[in-house]
């Protein structure tokens, strides 16, 4: 079987994924899967999605040769897939537009989700405004206090923001709160997951909606360079931008694929989120995957300087790709991330998201070990406007 032909009909990528949920939910998820499989075959859906890609998101995003960064590093030439140039400034809009459009085609009345730092919330509220469907975002009170610009944007975009005051008052409890609200009317509501995680069919759907990134990049790279890149690199939180890039290259055995996880303050401290590197097999949020968990199987607190990467689980396809050794997973710590953030800003005039700076940092390290004839393609998943104040304070600029 081709590596790209996954998951199986039960939503498994090897031993990972599936539907680790109560029986009544299995039926709901299977209905979403059946509707999805039918709707994506419709010409009208594909045409509407293609138009939104081009005229709304601004696709295709360019593949850019980072000349000065390459010169400074020495070694392999580094190229960036510019997802930071999308409307709303990151790759998340790709699957949010897909999910909102799908909800509309399914005749749903409302789209629900949780958000942590607010990036998924803003992208989803944007997509819901675009297709004209109600949107309800659950967010922990602590996160609401911390993430003012995103909270303001969600309000302006017209979504209903539900503050979550229970438990940790952060993402973990926002997930439970949003899911309970979804269960009040699963026939008319649509739950929009923010990465390639959750029960089947979400890892597949979100991957499919993100795979435009790799399809474009592969074609763009071939027409620029007349060959494929030697290495393709992306950061991994839940894993959506990485699956978006990797999917088009999975069957190109010559292309080495590398996912970069956050080592935070160090892999020998508790302050990291290197799930594939240090996690063990378990289940969380409705699917089987590698987890950072304690002896009892409870998720451990995780940390990254990039809030989009601090998740104690990871998408099931990444777990499988690690086991079959098709993708290597490496780590970058906070200091290396900040160094890449500043270098890309000052050498190229591109301020990257702290998440994306993890991928850039690993590419910089790797390039030096390669020859000038070789090439690296990095998914620049988002722009760093959201991180600029934090970094300036942190580095006392
Ligand atoms: C949310 C986010 C990520 C992490 O999510 P994935 O699902 O792992 O892609 C990475 N980069 C940016 C810019 C983000 O906003």
């Amino acid at each position: 079987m081709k590596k790209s032909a996954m998951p199986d009909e039960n939503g498994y990528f090897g031993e990972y994924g599936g539907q680790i949920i109560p029986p009544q939910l299995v039926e709901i998820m299977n209905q979403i899967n059946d509707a999805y499989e039918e709707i994506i075959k419709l010409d009208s859906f594909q045409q509407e999605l293609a138009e939104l890609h081009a005229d709304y998101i601004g696709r295709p995003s360019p593949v850019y040769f980072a000349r000065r960064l390459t010169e400074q590093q020495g070694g392999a030439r580094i190229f960036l897939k510019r997802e930071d140039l999308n409307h709303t400034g990151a790759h998340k809009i790709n699957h949010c537009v897909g999910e909102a459009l799908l909800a509309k085609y399914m005749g749903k009345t409302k789209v629900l989700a949780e958000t942590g730092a607010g990036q998924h919330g803003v992208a989803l509220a944007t997509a819901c405004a675009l297709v004209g469907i109600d949107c309800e975002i659950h967010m922990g009170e602590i996160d609401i206090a911390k993430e003012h610009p995103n909270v303001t944007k969600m309000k302006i975009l017209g979504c209903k923001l539900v503050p979550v005051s229970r438990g940790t008052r952060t993402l973990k409890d926002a997930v439970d709160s949003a899911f309970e609200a979804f269960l009040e009317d699963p026939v008319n509501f649509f739950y929009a997951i923010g990465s390639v995680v959750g029960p089947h069919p979400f890892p597949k759907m979100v991957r499919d909606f993100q795979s435009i990134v790799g399809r474009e990049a592969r074609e763009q790279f071939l027409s620029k360079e007349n060959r494929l890149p030697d290495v393709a690199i992306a950061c991994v939180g839940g894993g959506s931008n990485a699956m978006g890039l990797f999917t088009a290259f999975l069957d190109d055995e010559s292309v080495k694929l590398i996912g970069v996880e956050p080592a935070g303050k160090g892999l020998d401290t508790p302050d990291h989120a290197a799930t594939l590197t240090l996690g063990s097999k378990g289940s969380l949020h409705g699917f089987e995957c590698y987890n950072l968990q304690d002896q009892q199987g409870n998720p451990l607190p995780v940390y990254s300087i990039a809030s989009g990467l601090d998740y104690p689980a990871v998408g099931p396809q990444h777990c499988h790709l690690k086991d079959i050794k098709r993708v290597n997973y490496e780590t970058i710590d906070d200091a290396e991330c900040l160094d890449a953030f500043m270098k890309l800003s000052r050498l190229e005039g591109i301020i990257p998201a702290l998440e994306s700076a993890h991928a850039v940092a690993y590419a910089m390290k790797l390039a030096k070990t390669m020859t000038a004839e070789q090439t690296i393609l990095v998914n620049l998943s988002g722009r760093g406007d959201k991180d600029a104040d934090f970094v300036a304070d942190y580095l006392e600029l």
Side-chain angles (χ1 to χ4, degrees):
M1 190 164 85
K2 280 185 142 192
K3 290 198 177 62
S4 52
M6 297 214 114
D8 69 17
E9 61 192 22
N10 298 315
Y12 274 90
F13 302 84
E15 36 180 315
Y16 307 98
Q19 298 170 318
I20 315 301
I21 46 179
Q24 64 272 31
L25 279 184
V26 169
E27 202 183 317
I28 293 167
M29 293 301 151
N30 288 344
Q31 283 164 3
I32 295 176
N33 184 58
D34 294 346
Y36 170 73
E37 291 296 344
E38 255 178 46
I39 288 168
I40 52 161
K41 288 196 200 94
L42 298 175
D43 286 342
S44 55
F45 181 84
Q46 287 300 339
Q47 198 178 336
E48 198 168 345
L49 190 60
E51 274 173 26
L52 294 175
H53 279 163
D55 302 339
Y56 186 76
I57 300 179
R59 309 205 65 87
S61 64
V63 165
Y64 167 74
F65 169 45
R67 183 183 312 276
R68 298 221 314 131
L69 185 71
T70 296
E71 279 167 12
Q72 151 101 24
Q73 287 304 118
R77 285 184 299 143
I78 299 172
F79 293 75
L80 307 174
K81 175 63 172 166
R82 299 288 310 273
E83 290 300 294
D84 60 314
L85 293 178
N86 294 341
H87 176 51
T88 68
H91 72 288
K92 283 192 176 76
I93 194 70
N94 299 325
H95 64 248
C96 286
V97 165
E99 286 181 311
L101 198 60
L102 180 66
K104 189 177 92 171
Y105 272 70
M106 287 173 75
K108 302 285 184 179
T109 57
K110 183 155 69 168
V111 175
L112 290 115
E114 72 285 340
T115 195
Q119 297 300 110
H120 178 52
V122 170
L124 193 64
T126 302
C128 289
L130 167 72
V131 308
I133 193 166
D134 282 353
C135 179
E136 180 176 312
I137 306 283
H138 293 239
M139 187 170 186
E141 282 180 340
I142 292 188
D143 292 328
I144 289 180
K146 263 180 20 193
E147 306 290 345
H148 197 255
N150 280 341
V151 170
T152 308
K153 282 184 200 166
M154 282 186 272
K155 285 181 185 163
I156 291 172
L157 290 163
C159 80
K160 180 177 167 199
L161 187 68
V162 179
V164 178
S165 56
R166 65 171 96 165
T168 60
R169 295 188 286 151
T170 61
L171 178 63
K172 187 170 160 290
D173 293 283
V175 174
D176 296 338
S177 172
F179 206 71
E180 281 165 26
F182 164 66
L183 292 181
E184 282 168 20
D185 190 356
V187 175
N188 290 306
F189 295 171
F190 186 87
Y191 192 75
I193 292 185
S195 188
V196 285
V197 299
H200 175 64
F202 284 94
K204 171 181 73 175
M205 285 187 334
V206 172
R207 173 202 63 196
D208 291 353
F209 287 135
Q210 282 297 344
S211 63
I212 183 76
V213 174
R215 282 201 306 279
E216 282 175 9
R218 191 177 183 283
E219 207 174 285
Q220 289 165 314
F221 202 93
L222 277 173
S223 76
K224 256 184 177 12
E225 293 288 309
N226 258 319
R227 57 180 185 147
L228 293 173
D230 294 289
V231 186
I233 301 181
C235 65
V236 179
S240 67
N241 88 88
M243 281 319 308
L245 182 68
F246 295 167
T247 298
F249 296 101
L250 282 180
D251 298 315
D252 298 317
E253 296 291 339
S254 72
V255 181
K256 210 175 151 192
L257 303 174
I258 299 176
V260 184
E261 297 193 301
K265 295 175 186 163
L267 294 181
D268 53 353
T269 76
D271 296 324
H272 64 78
T275 312
L276 288 156
T277 307
L278 292 180
S280 51
K281 290 175 190 176
S283 71
L284 188 70
H285 294 154
F287 65 107
E288 295 186 52
C289 61
Y290 282 96
N291 277 221
L292 291 168
Q293 56 195 343
D294 65 16
Q295 304 282 338
Q296 284 75 46
N298 301 310
L300 288 168
V302 285
Y303 160 85
S304 167
I305 194 168
S307 56
L309 301 183
D310 60 357
Y311 183 53
V314 63
Q317 193 166 9
H318 285 292
C319 303
H320 177 65
L321 291 168
K322 174 191 162 82
D323 284 6
I324 65 169
K325 298 188 163 63
R326 177 63 189 96
V327 180
N328 290 336
Y329 294 89
E330 306 286 348
T331 62
I332 283 293
D333 66 22
D334 287 358
E336 294 170 308
C337 163
L338 284 166
D339 176 60
F341 179 98
M342 291 308 299
K343 286 220 168 92
L344 194 66
S345 298
R346 293 191 171 178
L347 291 167
E348 300 288 352
I350 297 172
I351 303 176
L354 283 169
E355 290 82 3
S356 326
H358 283 77
V360 175
Y362 193 79
M364 286 162 54
K365 261 207 309 213
L366 184 66
K368 284 190 261 196
T369 70
M370 296 167 65
T371 69
E373 285 71 49
Q374 293 180 298
T375 53
I376 300 176
L377 174 64
V378 179
N379 196 10
L380 199 73
S381 54
R383 62 177 174 237
D385 303 34
K386 67 185 178 59
D387 302 312
D389 284 341
F390 169 81
V391 173
D393 285 349
Y394 192 89
L395 298 178
E396 297 175 12
L397 298 182

